[in-house]
């Protein structure tokens, strides 16, 4: 088996194999809070690939899976990280009849569709196929290659009556991962970014913005609209809209900001 020196020509991506596993992932529902079945699929896949498998039970019904392909030594470690949970369950009233948002894969015009494929089961499938391609090429790298499939990433958070595992997203799984041995020298995150390379994300910031105003019946609001708390919120929104282009133009300062107004 050759060590370390590889080129693109050495690696062969099996399209059918890639689509087959991605379709299995689509067909394994994993809405935030219910990722266990998807974790079991990933764990079995990693075991079949001969990876060292670490199962991390984050909480009941939710787990991380970390697969490690050991290197021969002398090189930095690389992690591929991806979340298993999906933004939607497909049961939502506005999605129940939309084929692309159901846990059933189909190919149309050379594209694979199904629940969670873009965010981000497609990337997980690519990680798996990359490991298979390395094996097929008989290549051993100097550094370890790790593939982390984590639960609880989607932008959900517990607030007021929104309680339960389905609201424990936002890097819950990755926080557990890195505090239980899942670390590497470098990490690639295959999130959908419109094919743009983003060098880093610097966390998230949750803000609750409130405006105050007088209690005024709409029939008597003429001349007092500047005291209307809803209309005053527009001043805040205008400032946010003015700030967004500056934020978008500097990826090194990029931070996810969510407003609950």
């Amino acid at each position: 088996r050759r060590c370390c020196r590889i080129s693109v020509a050495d690696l062969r991506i099996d399209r059918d194999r890639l689509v087959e596993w991605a379709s299995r992932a689509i067909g394994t529902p994993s809405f935030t809070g219910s990722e266990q079945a998807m974790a079991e699929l990933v764990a079995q896949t990693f075991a079949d690939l001969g990876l060292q498998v670490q199962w991390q039970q984050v909480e009941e019904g939710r787990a991380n899976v970390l697969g490690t392909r050991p290197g021969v030594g002398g090189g930095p470690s690389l992690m591929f990280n991806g979340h298993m949970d999906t933004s939607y369950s497909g049961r939502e009233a506005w999605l129940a009849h939309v084929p692309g948002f159901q846990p059933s894969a189909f190919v149309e015009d050379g594209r694979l569709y199904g629940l969670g494929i873009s965010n981000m089961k497609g990337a997980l499938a690519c990680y798996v196929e990359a490991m298979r391609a390395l094996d097929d090429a008989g290549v051993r790298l100097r550094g370890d290659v790790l593939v982390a499939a984590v639960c609880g990433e989607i932008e959900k958070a517990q607030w007021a009556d929104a309680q339960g595992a389905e609201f424990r997203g936002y890097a819950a799984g990755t926080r557990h991962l890195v505090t239980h041995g899942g670390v590497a020298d470098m990490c690639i995150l295959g999130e959908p970014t419109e094919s743009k390379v983003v060098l880093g994300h610097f966390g998230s910031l949750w803000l609750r913005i409130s405006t105050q105003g007088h209690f005024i019946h709409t029939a008597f609001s003429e001349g007092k609209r500047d005291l209307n708390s809803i209309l005053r919120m527009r001043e805040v929104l205008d400032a946010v809209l003015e700030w967004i282009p500056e934020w978008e133009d500097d990826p090194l300062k990029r931070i996810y900001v969510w407003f609950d107004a």
Side-chain angles (χ1 to χ4, degrees):
R1 295 175 69 86
R2 292 172 297 159
C3 172
C4 310
R5 293 185 179 276
I6 62 174
S7 67
V8 174
D10 290 318
L11 303 179
R12 293 287 185 271
I13 300 301
D14 187 319
R15 177 190 176 95
D16 292 338
R17 186 171 62 185
L18 173 61
V19 171
E20 188 275 333
W21 194 91
S23 298
R24 291 176 61 194
I26 291 171
T28 307
S30 54
F31 185 60
T32 304
S34 302
E35 300 96 335
Q36 192 91 351
M38 182 65 188
E40 292 170 356
L41 169 62
V42 172
Q44 184 60 57
T45 300
F46 287 174
D48 293 344
L49 287 169
L51 305 183
Q52 298 174 359
V53 181
Q54 181 184 354
W55 178 276
Q56 297 182 347
Q57 195 70 45
V58 178
E59 60 180 304
E60 184 178 357
R62 316 181 73 188
N64 294 333
V65 185
L66 177 64
T68 301
R69 188 177 192 270
V72 297
S77 57
L78 171 65
M79 175 188 288
F80 292 101
N81 185 296
H83 63 86
M84 298 178 288
D85 57 331
T86 60
S87 298
Y88 308 102
S89 67
R91 299 187 299 271
E92 294 81 2
W94 63 94
L95 296 176
H97 303 292
V98 182
F101 283 90
Q102 299 304 310
S104 180
F106 64 94
V107 176
E108 185 176 296
D109 296 329
R111 292 180 178 270
L112 178 63
Y113 294 87
L115 183 63
I117 190 60
S118 64
N119 188 22
M120 60 177 296
K121 292 184 177 183
L124 290 172
C126 290
Y127 302 161
V128 169
E129 181 58 28
M131 297 299 100
R132 288 171 168 165
L134 287 172
D135 283 345
D136 290 347
V139 172
R140 292 291 304 278
L141 302 176
R142 290 192 177 94
D144 295 346
V145 179
L146 300 83
V147 182
V150 300
C151 65
E153 186 276 348
I154 295 297
E155 59 280 2
K156 301 181 178 76
Q158 298 181 117
W159 180 265
D161 293 334
Q163 300 295 321
E166 66 269 28
F167 297 104
R168 286 194 283 273
Y170 247 120
T174 290
R175 284 198 300 270
H176 187 95
L177 174 76
V178 299
T179 56
H180 291 76
V183 294
D185 296 309
M186 299 171 288
C187 181
I188 294 176
L189 183 63
E191 285 276 10
T193 57
E194 298 180 343
S195 299
K196 300 175 183 176
V197 176
V198 179
L199 299 182
H201 288 304
F202 293 87
S204 58
L205 174 66
W206 288 79
L207 299 177
R208 183 177 178 86
I209 299 177
S210 300
T211 54
Q212 297 179 350
H214 291 192
F215 181 78
I216 304 173
H217 191 286
T218 52
F220 306 104
S221 63
E222 185 175 355
K224 300 178 182 179
R225 291 192 175 94
D226 59 335
L227 301 178
N228 185 303
S229 59
I230 295 176
L231 297 181
R232 294 182 69 188
M233 181 59 74
R234 179 178 177 180
E235 300 176 20
V236 178
L237 295 178
D238 286 344
V240 171
L241 291 173
E242 183 179 349
W243 165 74
I244 286 175
E246 176 185 346
W247 168 76
E248 290 180 332
D249 289 340
D250 192 346
L252 292 179
K253 295 180 180 178
R254 187 162 297 177
I255 182 171
Y256 283 132
V257 181
W258 293 85
F259 294 94
D260 178 13

